[in-house]
Amino acid sequence: MDDRQENKVSMYLVLDKALTDANAIWSGNVAFSNAVTAFRGKLSDINSKVEVQETAYTGVTKDKKTAREVMRDAALLVSGAVTAYASTVNNETLKKAVHFTATDLMQCRDSIAVQRAQVIYDQANDVLASLADFGVTATEMDALALSIEGFDGRLAAPRMAIVIKKGATDGLKRLISETDAILKDQMDTLMPQFKAVNLDFYEGYFDARRIIDTGSSKPSVVLTGIATAADTGEALVGVEVVASSDTVSKSYKAKTGSDGRYKLGLPGSFVGTGISVQLRGTLVGYVTFEGSHAVMPHTNYTVDLVLTPEPVPPTP
């Protein structure tokens, strides 16, 4: 949530408490009771969306990394045996076909890592009958096959997590709008009926409806988001994100963390009365992301960066 949304939800919660305390006063008013029920239903939905929106997706990325490491270890075990076998029979073609290091399997795109592990499996399977003396049997081959399948099955997980978060964010905006409509068009308009009956409740209601700005001490504009790879949806670590403008010479920088997220706080002196911020995202092996985003003071924005991998030279 941005500051404005946090302030609104805080107001909803304070109002809900005020309504609970004064339940005996308004519960007999059918129209008002129905409006309170609708308001509380929306508030429950908002809390559910916030829970999804704020959920950390680092576990998804970590699980995928673990699966890749398992595949790497299984592949290296088999490729080592095949390499040793190929050396004893002077089969240079076979030896070169399975010659992948740990770096070759980890420091490449996910899809290429899967392909390389599959090459090792296929080459080893062709000579499996000769590999027993080198420590590889059907058991090790099955382990490699399962690790390839396990990692391949996790490739879309980070992207799906982002899609789920975006859906929650979009849903939150809609729910806040719908909740405001219930308050303004139903509950607020019915409140004059209670003024003469219980002035304390009437005044307490509108005191609770007042939105307190809790973000005044924060940077004027906060940019947050996640950097992902365009081909796999994988969160990218270490992307340097730079915010600059045509009107101010100073720029502000941040780097994405282990979950691919960044956060940039831009002061009022940078934002002024509203500017267009240029964002650049750079990471070795990826085409630089460039985009422009109009911002206004005292507002938070979510800007995700999608980086396209640089073309991979063909394998000799």
Side-chain angles (χ1 to χ4, degrees), residues 196-250:
V197 177
N198 193 305
L199 183 59
D200 288 341
F201 169 55
Y202 177 85
E203 293 179 343
Y205 172 90
F206 284 108
D207 284 343
R209 286 279 282 117
R210 188 177 298 115
I211 298 175
I212 306 299
D213 183 4
T214 60
S216 58
S217 63
K218 297 180 180 179
S220 182
V221 167
V222 176
L223 298 175
T224 58
I226 182 170
T228 57
D231 58 338
T232 64
E234 180 180 11
L236 298 176
V237 180
V239 176
E240 184 176 81
V241 184
V242 179
S244 60
S245 78
D246 296 331
T247 57
V248 181
S249 59
K250 186 175 178 59

Side-chain angles (χ1 to χ4, degrees), residues 35-288:
V36 171
T37 298
F39 161 69
R40 286 175 167 167
K42 294 297 181 184
L43 182 55
S44 176
D45 291 341
I46 287 172
N47 288 333
S48 296
K49 292 294 184 184
V50 170
E51 183 178 351
V52 173
Q53 187 189 49
E54 298 301 322
T55 297
Y57 291 102
T58 54
V60 173
T61 303
K62 183 177 180 180
D63 288 345
K64 186 160 75 72
K65 181 176 181 293
T66 299
R68 185 167 183 161
E69 291 171 346
V70 170
M71 182 183 73
R72 173 203 62 197
D73 292 344
L76 291 176
L77 186 152
V78 173
S79 67
V82 175
T83 298
Y85 164 73
S87 297
T88 63
V89 296
N90 297 318
N91 189 334
E92 287 297 316
T93 300
L94 177 59
K95 185 164 67 172
K96 289 181 179 180
V98 299
H99 183 64
F100 295 108
T101 66
T103 300
D104 293 333
L105 294 170
M106 294 298 292
Q107 301 300 321
C108 65
R109 284 186 284 174
D110 293 338
S111 56
I112 293 178
V114 170
Q115 292 171 4
R116 288 174 175 174
Q118 189 64 49
V119 166
I120 292 172
Y121 178 89
D122 292 341
Q123 293 292 330
N125 198 49
D126 289 341
V127 294
L128 180 57
S130 303
L131 296 180
D133 290 343
F134 296 87
V136 169
T137 64
T139 299
E140 288 71 30
M141 293 296 289
D142 288 345
L144 175 56
L146 287 173
S147 70
I148 294 172
E149 181 181 350
F151 177 62
D152 191 45
R154 292 185 180 274
L155 295 189
R159 172 57 64 182
M160 288 303 299
I162 295 167
V163 170
I164 291 171
K165 180 179 182 295
K166 185 178 185 304
T169 300
D170 294 342
L172 183 61
K173 294 177 182 178
R174 173 183 55 79
L175 285 168
I176 287 177
S177 177
E178 293 172 352
T179 304
D180 284 343
I182 292 171
L183 295 178
K184 293 175 182 177
D185 300 336
Q186 298 180 47
M187 294 172 66
D188 289 359
T189 61
L190 291 171
M191 279 307 297
Q193 298 181 27
F194 299 101
K195 187 173 184 179
V197 177
N198 193 305
L199 183 59
D200 288 341
F201 169 55
Y202 177 85
E203 293 179 343
Y205 172 90
F206 284 108
D207 284 343
R209 286 279 282 117
R210 188 177 298 115
I211 298 175
I212 306 299
D213 183 4
T214 60
S216 58
S217 63
K218 297 180 180 179
S220 182
V221 167
V222 176
L223 298 175
T224 58
I226 182 170
T228 57
D231 58 338
T232 64
E234 180 180 11
L236 298 176
V237 180
V239 176
E240 184 176 81
V241 184
V242 179
S244 60
S245 78
D246 296 331
T247 57
V248 181
S249 59
K250 186 175 178 59
S251 61
Y252 292 83
K253 300 179 181 180
K255 278 194 175 184
T256 57
S258 60
D259 56 354
R261 299 183 184 281
Y262 75 93
K263 183 175 182 179
L264 272 171
L266 309 178
S269 59
F270 180 83
V271 178
T273 58
I275 63 170
S276 181
V277 172
Q278 280 74 54
L279 283 178
R280 288 172 57 87
T282 56
L283 182 66
V284 174
Y286 290 83
V287 178
T288 298

